[in-house]
Amino acid sequence: MDIPRIKIIPEDVSIWLVYSGLRRRHFDLFRARRAVFLETPGFNANENTFSDYDEIRNRLAMSDAIRKWQLHQDGDRPTKRVGAYMPPNHNDSNFKSFNQEVGNIERLFKEVKVGDIIMSPPLGHFKSFLMGEVTKGWSPDDVIEVPYFDNELVPVRKIKWLSGNVSRRDFPNNLAKRLINRHAISEVDPVYTFDILQMVYPSFVWRNHSKLDLYGTRYQGDDPIQVLESAKLLKFAVAASMAHDLGKFDDFQSLSYSKAIEKYYNKELIEQFGINFNSPGLLRAILENATASPKIAAYIAVLTSSTAQPLAEVKKAV
């Protein structure tokens, strides 16, 4: 049985939806460069830019002028001298949309923090989302050339994209609808955090929840009870974890395999238990216990070890 690495997720993790431009024109660049960005060509930020509201507005005014010139090629190429630009005021027709752009910049470069989850949707319902972690705070070196903007430099947030194959149709209906909006960047409602984490990480601990994915005996397709041995081993390890939490580990060890499960396996603490009959068979346990997944993984590591180490030895590690 394969023992997974378990991700410890910060309690204050936020999840952000970031669109890759009109008709997802930057989607492939997001993936290839392991980064997300807004359409701000020539923004030319420095280490102080994102802590200064007026500086953000001035540089955005310059970037907007560069972007409009690239689209229409009217007149001379805009200067990159920030002081030459004046942000719109409340009487200008683009005042509202400009302030929305300012808000997007503040969200991506001030509010998004290391460890947060970024989701970027593809074009269509059947292609996979990009889903990953923010790996570092922003620095002036975090820029890339964007071909769509004549290779102008754009500030980016660095992302570690995680492997996965989750499309819009895989989300619950209410969450799938939430993941459709007109904003370049928006924070996903915290009520959906746990649902999304389950799709991002095979095994993790977050707040009072833990999830553990294990791959058991390879299912051949001609024996419907073939995976039960692996499932029962997982159930035994869950019962061991519960006995440990109750301070009854010594009693647990004195019982037979079946009796130990019968006495200490508490289904009330199990949020979800499932088996996927794809080969190799996936066994999944989701528990209302933040320490359960690491302990269960440790117990299974001992139980399946070729050295036949006694289960009691794992007690020292948990």
Side-chain angles (χ1 to χ4, degrees), residues 88-98:
N89 60 47
H90 65 277
N91 293 318
D92 295 322
S93 60
N94 65 334
F95 180 71
K96 182 178 179 179
S97 62
F98 184 86

Side-chain angles (χ1 to χ4, degrees), residues 177-194:
K177 292 177 181 178
R178 168 61 185 86
L179 298 178
I180 301 174
N181 63 49
R182 296 177 179 271
H183 303 292
I185 176 173
S186 60
E187 184 176 3
V188 179
D189 311 85
V191 68
Y192 298 119
T193 297
F194 187 53

Side-chain angles (χ1 to χ4, degrees), residues 2 165 170 213-224 226-228 230 274-284:
D2 295 333
N165 188 26
D170 295 318
D213 278 3
L214 297 166
Y215 288 90
T217 305
R218 184 174 293 271
Y219 177 63
Q220 303 297 333
D222 56 2
D223 183 357
Q226 186 176 10
V227 297
L228 292 185
S230 296
I275 298 176
N276 186 327
F277 282 85
N278 292 331
S279 179
L282 169 66
L283 297 97
R284 170 170 295 160

Side-chain angles (χ1 to χ4, degrees), residues 238-252 260 263-266 269 289 291 295 299:
V238 171
S241 173
M242 293 175 174
H244 180 275
D245 289 344
L246 294 171
K248 300 290 187 179
F249 195 77
D250 291 337
D251 179 58
F252 178 87
K263 184 171 182 178
Y264 287 104
Y265 183 82
N266 182 359
L269 299 179
N289 186 323
T291 65
K295 287 189 291 186
Y299 291 135

Side-chain angles (χ1 to χ4, degrees), residues 195-223:
D195 289 335
I196 294 172
L197 291 178
Q198 292 182 62
M199 296 184 171
V200 176
Y201 299 106
S203 299
F204 67 87
V205 171
W206 177 69
R207 296 188 177 177
N208 64 327
H209 302 281
S210 60
K211 175 193 172 195
L212 185 66
D213 278 3
L214 297 166
Y215 288 90
T217 305
R218 184 174 293 271
Y219 177 63
Q220 303 297 333
D222 56 2
D223 183 357

